[in-house]
Amino acid sequence: LAGPIWSFGPEDQGLMKLDYKAQFQMNLRDTGSGSDGTGNTSEFNFRRNRLALMGAYGSNFSLYVQTEFNEDNNITPMNVSDGNNSDFRILDAVMRFRQSPSLNVWVGKFKYNLTRENLESCEEPLTLDRSAMLRAPLASSGTRDKGVAVWGNLADNMFQYRFDVMNGRNDAESAPNSNFRYSARAHVSLLDPEAGYGYKGTYLGERRVLTIGAAYQMEDEVAYADVAGSSDPVDYRAWTVDLFFEYPVEDVGTFTVSAAYVDYDLDDAYQGANPDPATIGLNGEKNGGYIKAGYMLPNLPLQFFARSENWSFASLNGVIGQEVDWNSVGVNYYLRGQDLKLTLEYSKVDFDQEGTFGGVTTENFSTLTAQLQLMF
Amino acid sequence: LAGPIWSFGPEDQGLMKLDYKAQFQMNLRDTGSGSDGTGNTSEFNFRRNRLALMGAYGSNFSLYVQTEFNEDNNITPMNVSDGNNSDFRILDAVMRFRQSPSLNVWVGKFKYNLTRENLESCEEPLTLDRSAMLRAPLASSGTRDKGVAVWGNLADNMFQYRFDVMNGRNDAESAPNSNFRYSARAHVSLLDPEAGYGYKGTYLGERRVLTIGAAYQMEDEVAYADVAGSSDPVDYRAWTVDLFFEYPVEDVGTFTVSAAYVDYDLDDAYQGANPDPATIGLNGEKNGGYIKAGYMLPNLPLQFFARSENWSFASLNGVIGQEVDWNSVGVNYYLRGQDLKLTLEYSKVDFDQEGTFGGVTTENFSTLTAQLQLMF
Amino acid sequence: LAGPIWSFGPEDQGLMKLDYKAQFQMNLRDTGSGSDGTGNTSEFNFRRNRLALMGAYGSNFSLYVQTEFNEDNNITPMNVSDGNNSDFRILDAVMRFRQSPSLNVWVGKFKYNLTRENLESCEEPLTLDRSAMLRAPLASSGTRDKGVAVWGNLADNMFQYRFDVMNGRNDAESAPNSNFRYSARAHVSLLDPEAGYGYKGTYLGERRVLTIGAAYQMEDEVAYADVAGSSDPVDYRAWTVDLFFEYPVEDVGTFTVSAAYVDYDLDDAYQGANPDPATIGLNGEKNGGYIKAGYMLPNLPLQFFARSENWSFASLNGVIGQEVDWNSVGVNYYLRGQDLKLTLEYSKVDFDQEGTFGGVTTENFSTLTAQLQLMF
């Protein structure tokens, strides 16, 4: 269940691989449907539906290109709609040059360097998925961006550094200024190393890992606090710290604990005379974090997990200073490792302030998801 | 002309294949252009333009992923427009698990189980194409849907059953209720078996087939007969019967006859105070059927065909109870079987009531199509 | 750095190849941003981002299918915007039948036969890119179209002819008449032949080429000079002449000179009572040309280039008879031929009439582009 690898060129220096990756879900939510929008909603859909092309030439060059397709998604993390969308795109397209393990240069479209969870492989989280509230504000494509990154591992892979310069907000007309966005991230791995660009949410008991990381991101004059007056430009600053621990104990099982905190700051644009809508809401100014924990049986590829998140939003659906709790429990069953996996998760979202504010209704909801994952 | 198959993994259990499939057409229609919309219209375009990835691992798992691209289609089955469309999407993405020939489970996006003709391979119809009026109402993606199917063959492949549960109408906000859609289909093959999920419109004289099938489909509370009042929800029910017969006679040629009837019921939503537009029109409440016939020469890969369809629409372009006849004749020339095929078809569409109703003009029209099909 | 080629079928008659091709750019422009639209603008983005599938069967059939993806392009040749675009499509899909070197028939979607520069390989220009002002008016997809071409080489490949019939303007409702577009092109190569369908902007010193070409294109009743009255239909006519010369001199280097002139005529539709917007502007009635020159070092894969263009537009952004000069200088560094190339270009665009006309501002601007090209 892991496709063919083709080699070519003199001394078989060239490699190519074509993969398909799917996460097919059945979702049941206790709200969102019917004439008053409060009926139960049920849906089959793909959370991810990807074709990936990987290439390499020698040991110093590789390539990763990946498409994504979303279609008619009724049930989304925070909303239910008629789902009249159809979006086929190239999600990743990155040329990777390696000078040495301590110096890599990546060019193209790929994940920016801020939170650990966003950098965890989409197909190898511990829980059903990464946080729905984790995305950086005003990032071109949400979880990815376009630009250049320089990164590497030092001290026997114990220490990793990353720098990138990317588009950030790529709205030349709407932004006060067309600036690039800069990120810096570092981690230290005290047990087994995590030396790649992508992290994992679990190593299925095959590694002993204790990694502590931190990152900082900035972009100047990213939006107006007063759009109508084209005035009061605000700067964007974010920082995060994160910890990942996984430890297999013989005959007992594998324990995983992971936690992070992140602060996204936009100079309190939400208090402005007429703030840019992009500075508020789910991907606007906010801070919060998660803790997740897992336990995998020693002799059966079955893993229990739980996660708890809390976020404070500058302004969400008409509520200033809204607080949101997102808790979930679930189980992964690895039929063939991550290549064929069944996941079941129950999650509950609680808002500190429920009700209808400015015509928008905010109500707690819960979701039950069954997911079949394939990587071929 | 049928691409490479790559094997991989221990004992070459894994297989992968990449295909390109095109149907390129020149279309001439006797209406649709110019300042009054009645001039002749001519167009080159792709009817289908697909990349397909197939995979298998062992004998119990396989995968089928297929993209489709439509662009600037001026001449469509029922209309002529400026064709300002561009739609690239993943049409099929299905994970296929096989317990035994009598028990298969398919998961993902694929064809739902109702009419035989919709289940016939898009590249192997008898006539130029399947019926333009056959699609089920309110199906997410027209000919495909997302969900799970269970199916298999019994009694030496003489009998086949299929059940599926799928999204059906996937419009959580607009539908009275977010229900799944259920289908059941069965067929009996009295001569050679048709044991796959996909049927064919012709076996080019390589099989003797006599198959009789029937199917039923249902989804509760699928639309409002009174949208303005959010009231009078209607249920969807459909049933079909079909027959397929093909018989090669030595030195004489191959004869093909196929017929079907289908009834799509929406509780007469069109009589409601303010019916959901999706309940009327081409893909609304209707019933009808087709008969098609073919004759293929014994010593030359040349096949003549004809088809006749009649449909009754609850309401079509402002006409209650419109009747439509669609008749066509044509010829297939198989340069390399279905891999490289030339088709020429002349078709004529007759409406029982012609004229302008509620501002929309309904007029008979005819179309001449030359098509080059490639599967590589 | 040029992917695997798979063979299949009896006697390995079948071939298949899968490629990825990227042009990733950092663009800096001296205008376009901020509240008054005059601030500097900077952006990372892909100019081209393509997956290509090539196939062949025997020596008489081949296939070329290529996708393109554009996304959030802020800096475009003539404008700066918020770039809220996402366009994934099949750019080329052509079935190529070869009767003999002197008779080829191509069917599908591919480049139409008019200017040499549009027919030059997108990844092998001499300068950063082809002219932004070269596109034919009212062509379905800009640089490509759908239809059939017949072409071949005669007299030991010294002479080449091409004819095509294609959609041209594929707007059945808006055009006065649904006519096809016809092209004819010929060239004579006095030194080494250029016998393919695609030209190159440079042969990197591997050929001695002197080619002179000319072409003509026409489509009747393509647009109204008076849209409001649906009257005064105009015909489209275009012609071009072009010259390409490249000569490597041992120990001195390779010299390249190329020039072309093209005239796009739409019966002076811009003088009509209410001209179709598609007859004016960047892709409307115009004439102009370019001259480009290159010098490549003898022992280092470094190539200097310059280009100069002048165009006269019937009407551009509210200015009748606008004249535009586009001059640029730059350098290509071929790390692995065209497979891995770095390009740096500085360009300046000068308008004969600057100012604000009819609410639209026309101002000179300049752009600095660094590009990394990969073909894998």
Side-chain angles (χ1 to χ4, degrees), chain B residues 1-6 18-20 22-24 26-28 32-35 39-46 49-51 67-69 71-74 80-84 86-88 336 340 372-374 376, chain C residues 6-8 13-16 18 53-57 61 63 65 67 87-91 93-95 97 107-109 140-141 146-148 165-167 169-180 224 230:
Chain B
L1 266 189
I5 300 177
W6 304 293
L18 189 62
D19 273 11
Y20 173 71
Q23 292 176 339
F24 189 76
M26 184 178 72
N27 272 296
L28 306 174
S33 275
S35 56
N40 293 339
T41 310
S42 53
E43 186 185 20
F44 290 107
N45 220 321
F46 289 90
N49 196 358
R50 299 178 176 179
L51 292 163
T67 68
E68 173 69 295
F69 181 61
E71 184 190 38
D72 290 340
N73 298 93
N74 279 234
V80 173
S81 72
D82 269 1
N84 197 19
S86 180
D87 186 18
F88 198 15
R336 282 180 180 268
L340 193 61
L372 175 65
Q373 172 172 301
L374 170 75
F376 188 94
Chain C
W6 304 294
S7 58
F8 62 94
Q13 284 190 78
L15 296 176
M16 186 181 274
L18 189 63
L53 180 75
M54 285 147 286
Y57 201 84
F61 176 76
L63 169 71
V65 182
T67 67
D87 186 18
F88 197 16
R89 62 193 186 283
I90 291 188
L91 189 67
V94 52
M95 297 169 267
F97 301 91
V107 180
K109 184 181 178 192
S140 307
S141 328
K146 290 169 192 155
V148 177
V165 47
M166 292 191 152
N167 279 330
R169 184 178 200 187
N170 199 24
D171 290 342
E173 282 185 336
S174 304
N177 221 318
S178 172
N179 291 310
F180 285 136
Y224 293 113
S230 286

Side-chain angles (χ1 to χ4, degrees), chain A residues 73 80 83 90 107 148 164 172 195 216 221 253 278 306 320 338 348 372:
Chain A
N73 299 91
V80 173
I90 292 189
V107 179
V148 177
D164 68 49
Y216 186 78
E221 296 189 283
I320 301 288
Q338 298 282 11
K348 198 160 181 341
L372 175 65

